[in-house]
Amino acid sequence: MKIELRKITDDNVGDLLDLQVTEGQEDYVGSNLDSLATAYICDNNGGRAIPYAIYAGDEMVGFVMYGYLPEAYDDTYGEDCYYLWRFMIDKNHQGKGYGTQAIAQVLDEIRQKPHGAAQHCYTQYEPENIPVKKMYEKLGFEETGEEDDGELIMRMKI
């Protein structure tokens, strides 16, 4: 089934907060509530965060958020860049290809550089999270050899 990215609204935020990952995945991703708080902070301090609910038909199945991070806001990467920030698929919908579709759609949007000029999109992952590493590689991300707070950094040219 093809997925669709939709804005977070008053009508769907409750469903977003009800999404859960499988046991053991909690350490790999921040909560969706934390993600919305992070988006608010970013948007009010010089960056831009773009959160989406992931839908398969009429059912919310996940969450993804990317950001535009001017170097003046966050100098982690040494350049203005896009950042694949948060991503999760609900435990009842994993293994159906929804994650790969959602990230591919986000990357298509990022390639249009809708929030500012940049040469790269970055992401990070926990070293133990091999499935997400493989998905990111499949979509064109490459290891940088660097880490941030114990997470490995990946980058792709956009």
Side-chain angles (χ1 to χ4, degrees), residues 86-103:
R86 298 285 172 91
F87 162 69
M88 64 85 68
I89 298 294
D90 183 79
K91 64 184 179 182
N92 297 314
H93 299 284
Q94 293 182 12
K96 299 177 182 178
Y98 297 152
T100 302
Q101 287 184 61
I103 300 302

Side-chain angles (χ1 to χ4, degrees), residues 48 50 66-70 77 79-85 109-123 141 156 158:
R48 181 74 176 102
I50 302 87
Y66 76 90
Y68 177 70
L69 306 177
Y77 306 108
E79 63 179 318
D80 295 351
C81 65
Y82 285 87
Y83 180 67
L84 181 57
W85 213 329
E109 186 171 314
I110 287 171
R111 287 183 186 100
Q112 302 303 310
K113 301 176 183 168
H115 304 285
Q119 296 297 310
H120 296 101
C121 178
Y122 289 85
T123 195
F141 283 92
M156 73 179 308
I158 54 174

Side-chain angles (χ1 to χ4, degrees), residues 31-47:
S31 75
N32 292 340
L33 181 59
D34 286 346
S35 296
L36 294 178
T38 298
Y40 176 84
I41 292 166
C42 178
D43 284 352
N44 285 284
N45 289 283

Side-chain angles (χ1 to χ4, degrees), residues 136-150:
Y136 291 153
E137 288 174 337
K138 178 179 169 184
L139 291 165
F141 283 92
E142 297 177 346
E143 297 276 351
T144 66
E146 299 173 12
E147 66 176 64
D148 181 36
D149 290 332

Side-chain angles (χ1 to χ4, degrees), residues 3-77:
I3 62 96
E4 179 184 356
L5 302 179
R6 297 183 192 168
K7 291 182 178 181
I8 309 300
T9 67
D10 286 341
D11 293 331
N12 67 10
V13 71
D15 292 337
L16 178 75
L17 299 178
D18 288 340
L19 297 176
Q20 298 178 12
V21 293
T22 62
E23 188 174 325
Q25 293 178 328
E26 302 91 352
D27 292 338
Y28 296 154
V29 65
S31 75
N32 292 340
L33 181 59
D34 286 346
S35 296
L36 294 178
T38 298
Y40 176 84
I41 292 166
C42 178
D43 284 352
N44 285 284
N45 289 283
R48 181 74 176 102
I50 302 87
Y52 287 116
I54 304 168
Y55 280 82
D58 290 328
E59 186 172 7
M60 186 184 298
V61 298
F63 172 74
V64 65
M65 182 170 82
Y66 76 90
Y68 177 70
L69 306 177
E71 186 178 6
Y73 170 77
D74 183 338
D75 64 357
T76 301
Y77 306 108

